[in-house]
C-alpha cells in the first residue's frame, strides 16, 4: 500500500528514490570495507573515504528533492515477524536530517583524514571505517519506517560507535567504551524494547503513522507509562546520572568525538525521540500530558546541570561534551512540549527538528576547530587558547560563529531553534 511515483526525469537519468535510499544506507558500509581493505597508500584510503561520503550526501540531497516533489520510497530488507518489517522509508523529517548529517559528513571526512595524519593516530583505517559505519547507523535511524527498524538501527549505531570510544585503547578509553555500550544497550533493551512490544500488542503494527499509532487506542495510564519508557530508552544516555560515558569518551581522537557528539550518536537520539513522539503518539496527545510534564522537569534539570558542569571544565573536549549534552536535551524538551494539548503543539516539533540541525552544525564546527587546534598547537586547555585567534584567524572565526549559534545568539541558527522552543513552552502554559 506504499505509493512509488517516479518523475520522468528519474526515469531518464536512471536514479529512483529506492536506488538513492539503498545508496544512502549502503554506501557507508561499502566505504568502511574499502577503507579497511585499502589501508595503504594513505592517499588512496583517504580519497575513498571522502568520495564515498560525498556520494552519500548527493544521494541524500536527491531524496530531499524527491520528497519535495511528492515521491516516496519503501525498502524492505527482511520480515522477521508477521506485520513486522526491517524497512526504511523516505519522509520529510528523515530526508532533511540525513541530508544535513551527510552533508556535514563530507566536511568531517576531509577533516578526519587530515587530523588522523597530522596527529599520527593509531589504526587510522579502523578509525575512518567505524566513522563510516556510524554514519550508516544514523541515516538508518533517520529513514526507519517503523519501531522495529528504529530499534535495530539504534543498536547497530551503538555497536559501530563503541570502537570509536575505545579507539585509543588506554586505561581511560576502555572503561569509557564499556560504560557507553552498557548504558545504550541497557536503556534500549530495558526500556525501549518493552515499549515497542507493548505498542505492538495494542495496535497490531509497528509502522510509523502520521497522527500517531497510539492515538485513540490507549488510556491515560498506558500513554504515560509508554512515554516514559520510550524517552528513557532513547534519551537516557544523555540524562544525568547516566551520562558519564560522554565526558569519559572525550579523551578519544577528535574525529571520533565529531562523530559521537555532532553527527551520529547524539543526533540519532534526538531523531528517535522526535519520530516516536510524531508517529507513535501524535502531537497534542493529551493522554500523555502528565508524563511529558514530569519528563520536561527531568530534562530541564539535566540541561542546567550539564551547562553548569561545562562551565567548570577547563579541557575543551570535556567542556564541549557537556555543552553538546545540554543542547541535545533541548531536542527532547521540544518533542515533549509537542505533547502538551493546545494549538502550539507543532511548534515543539519544529523547535526539536531545528535544534538537531543547529546543534549538529555548531558542534561539528566547534569540535573540528578544536581538533585542528590540537593537531597544530597541541593545546586542549581553555586557558591556553588565549591569543590563538591571531595565529589561526579562519579556524577561530568558525569557532566564534559556532559558539554564538550554540548559545542561541541571533541571527545564527541556534537562536531560531531556541525562539521556537520558547514559543512552544509559552503556548503550552509552561
Amino acid at each position: 500500500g506504499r505509493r512509488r511515483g517516479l518523475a520522468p526525469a528519474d526515469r531518464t537519468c536512471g536514479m529512483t528514490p529506492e536506488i538513492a535510499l539503498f545508496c544512502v544506507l549502503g554506501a557507508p558500509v561499502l566505504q568502511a570495507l574499502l577503507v579497511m581493505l585499502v589501508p595503504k597508500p594513505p592517499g588512496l584510503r583517504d580519497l575513498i573515504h571522502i568520495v564515498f561520503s560525498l556520494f552519500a550526501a548527493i544521494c541524500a540531497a536527491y531524496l530531499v528533492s524527491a520528497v519535495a516533489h511528492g515521491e516516496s520510497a519503501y525498502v524492505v530488507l527482511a520480515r522477521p515477524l508477521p506485520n513486522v518489517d526491517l524497512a526504511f522509508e523516505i519522509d520529510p523529517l528523515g530526508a532533511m536530517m540525513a541530508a544535513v548529517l551527510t552533508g556535514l559528513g563530507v566536511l568531517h571526512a576531509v577533516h578526519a583524514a587530515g587530523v588522523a595524519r597530522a596527529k599520527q593516530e593509531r589504526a587510522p583505517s579502523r578509525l575512518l571505517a567505524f566513522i563510516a559505519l556510524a554514519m550508516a547507523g544514523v541515516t538508518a535511524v533517520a529513514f526507519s519506517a517503523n519501531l522495529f527498524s528504529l530499534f535495530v538501527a539504534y543498536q547497530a549505531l551503538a555497536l559501530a560507535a563503541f570502537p570509536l570510544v575505545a579507539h585509543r585503547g588506554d586505561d581511560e578509553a576502555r572503561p569509557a567504551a564499556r560504560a557507553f555500550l552498557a548504558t545504550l544497550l541497557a536503556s534500549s533493551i530495558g526500556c525501549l524494547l518493552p515499549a515497542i512490544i507493548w505498542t505492538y500488542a495494542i495496535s497490531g503494527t509497528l509502522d510509523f503513522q502520521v497522527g500517531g499509532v497510539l492515538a485513540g487506542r490507549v488510556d491515560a495510564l498506558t500513554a504515560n507509562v509508554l512515554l516514559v519508557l520510550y524517552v528513557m530508552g532513547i534519551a537516557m544516555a544523555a540524562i544525568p546520572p547516566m551520562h558519564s560515558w560522554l565526558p569519559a569518551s572525550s579523551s578519544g581522537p577528535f574525529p571520533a568525538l565529531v562523530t559521537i557528539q555532532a553527527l551520529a550518536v547524539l543526533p540519532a537520539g534526538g531523531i528517535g525521540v522526535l519520530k516516536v513522539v510524531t508517529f507513535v503518539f501524535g502531537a497534542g496527545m493529551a493522554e500523555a500530558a502528565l508524563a511529558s510534564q514530569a519528563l520536561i522537569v527531568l530534562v530541564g534539570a539535566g540541561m542546567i546541570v550539564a551547562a553548569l558542569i561545562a562551565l567548570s571544565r577547563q579541557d575543551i573536549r570535556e567542556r564541549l561534551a557537556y555543552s553538546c549534552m545540554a543542547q541535545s536535551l533541548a531536542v527532547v524538551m521540544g518533542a515533549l512540549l509537542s505533547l502538551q494539548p493546545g494549538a502550539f503543539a507543532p511548534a515543539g516539533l519544529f523547535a526539536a527538528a531545528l535544534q538537531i540541525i543547529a546543534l549538529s552544525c555548531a558542534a561539528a564546527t566547534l569540535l573540528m576547530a578544536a581538533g585542528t587546534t590540537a593537531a597544530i598547537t597541541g593545546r586542549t586547555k581553555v586557558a591556553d587558547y588565549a591569543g590563538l585567534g591571531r595565529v589561526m584567524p579562519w579556524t577561530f572565526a568558525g569557532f566564534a560563529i559556532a559558539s554564538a549559534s550554540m548559545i542561541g545568539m541571533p541571527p545564527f541558527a541556534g537562536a531560531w531553534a531556541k525562539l521556537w522552543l520558547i514559543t512552544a513552552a509559552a503556548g503550552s502554559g509552561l
Side-chain angles (χ1 to χ4, degrees):
R2 303 279 178 173
R3 182 167 54 87
R4 294 182 176 85
L6 294 179
D10 297 330
R11 298 190 186 99
T12 57
C13 71
M15 177 67 78
T16 67
E18 284 86 355
I19 293 175
L21 182 56
F22 266 119
C23 290
V24 169
L25 297 172
V29 178
L30 180 59
Q31 173 184 345
L33 291 175
L34 290 177
V35 166
M36 291 296 291
L37 290 173
V38 190
K40 294 180 180 180
L44 179 59
R45 176 200 66 204
D46 296 345
L47 181 63
I48 291 172
H49 185 62
I50 295 168
V51 169
F52 270 84
S53 298
L54 179 61
F55 176 68
I58 292 172
C59 292
Y62 173 87
L63 290 176
V64 172
S65 176
V67 170
H69 288 86
E71 302 284 342
S72 62
Y74 187 82
V75 174
V76 179
L77 300 184
R79 179 167 292 170
L81 295 171
N83 296 327
V84 178
D85 295 335
L86 179 60
F88 301 94
E89 182 179 25
I90 62 171
D91 62 82
L93 174 64
M96 177 178 65
M97 295 302 170
V100 171
L101 295 174
T102 55
L104 292 171
V106 178
L107 303 177
H108 179 221
V110 177
H111 181 266
V115 170
R117 286 202 196 189
K119 295 284 289 182
Q120 296 183 342
E121 292 287 349
R122 56 178 296 180
S125 297
R126 186 182 68 197
L127 177 65
L128 298 181
F130 281 103
I131 286 174
L133 291 176
M135 294 304 297
V138 71
T139 52
V141 169
F143 286 119
S144 55
N146 52 55
L147 286 168
F148 175 73
S149 302
L150 174 65
F151 178 80
V152 172
Y154 196 65
Q155 306 311 301
L157 172 59
L159 294 174
F162 169 75
L164 294 176
V165 181
H167 183 76
R168 290 279 169 84
D170 53 25
D171 292 338
E172 286 183 300
R174 286 193 295 269
R178 288 194 294 267
F180 166 80
L181 192 61
T183 301
L184 263 65
L185 293 184
S187 60
S188 58
I189 294 174
C191 296
L192 179 58
L193 184 58
I196 292 174
I197 295 172
W198 196 352
T199 300
Y200 183 74
I202 293 172
S203 63
T205 181
L206 295 179
D207 288 343
F208 291 134
Q209 297 178 10
V210 177
V213 174
L214 297 176
R217 292 178 172 174
V218 292
D219 55 32
L221 177 61
T222 302
N224 283 293
V225 174
L226 278 174
L227 179 62
V228 171
L229 289 175
Y230 275 117
V231 172
M232 299 303 289
I234 300 174
M236 179 186 287
I239 299 176
M242 302 302 294
H243 69 287
S244 58
W245 65 270
L246 187 59
S249 67
S250 61
S251 61
F254 274 99
L257 299 185
V258 177
T259 303
I260 294 167
Q261 298 174 20
L263 300 183
V265 179
L266 288 182
I271 294 170
V273 171
L274 199 53
K275 288 177 86 75
V276 165
V277 168
T278 305
F279 300 125
V280 177
F281 289 88
M285 187 174 183
E287 290 84 354
L290 180 61
S292 63
Q293 291 183 14
L295 288 169
I296 284 171
V297 173
L298 177 63
V299 170
M303 291 172 61
I304 295 170
V305 170
L308 291 174
I309 295 175
L311 291 174
S312 69
R313 291 295 189 265
Q314 291 303 307
D315 190 305
I316 190 65
R317 296 167 297 185
E318 293 186 7
R319 179 170 292 189
L320 290 178
Y322 280 105
S323 296
C324 291
M325 185 178 73
Q327 298 296 324
S328 68
L329 290 175
V331 177
V332 183
M333 178 79 75
L336 292 171
L337 284 170
S338 72
L339 292 175
Q340 301 301 307
F344 285 86
L349 296 176
F350 188 77
L354 188 55
Q355 176 67 9
I356 294 174
I357 295 172
L359 172 59
S360 295
C361 293
T365 304
L366 287 167
L367 286 162
M368 286 193 287
T372 301
T373 304
I376 294 175
T377 68
R379 302 183 189 185
T380 59
K381 299 295 183 182
V382 175
D384 296 334
Y385 270 39
L388 286 179
R390 291 187 293 271
V391 179
M392 306 168 65
W394 289 106
T395 298
F396 278 88
F399 194 96
I401 293 172
S403 298
S405 180
M406 182 84 89
I407 66 175
M409 182 183 296
F412 303 105
W416 305 108
K418 302 298 194 309
L419 177 62
W420 279 99
L421 197 63
I422 293 169
T423 301
S428 302
L430 299 177

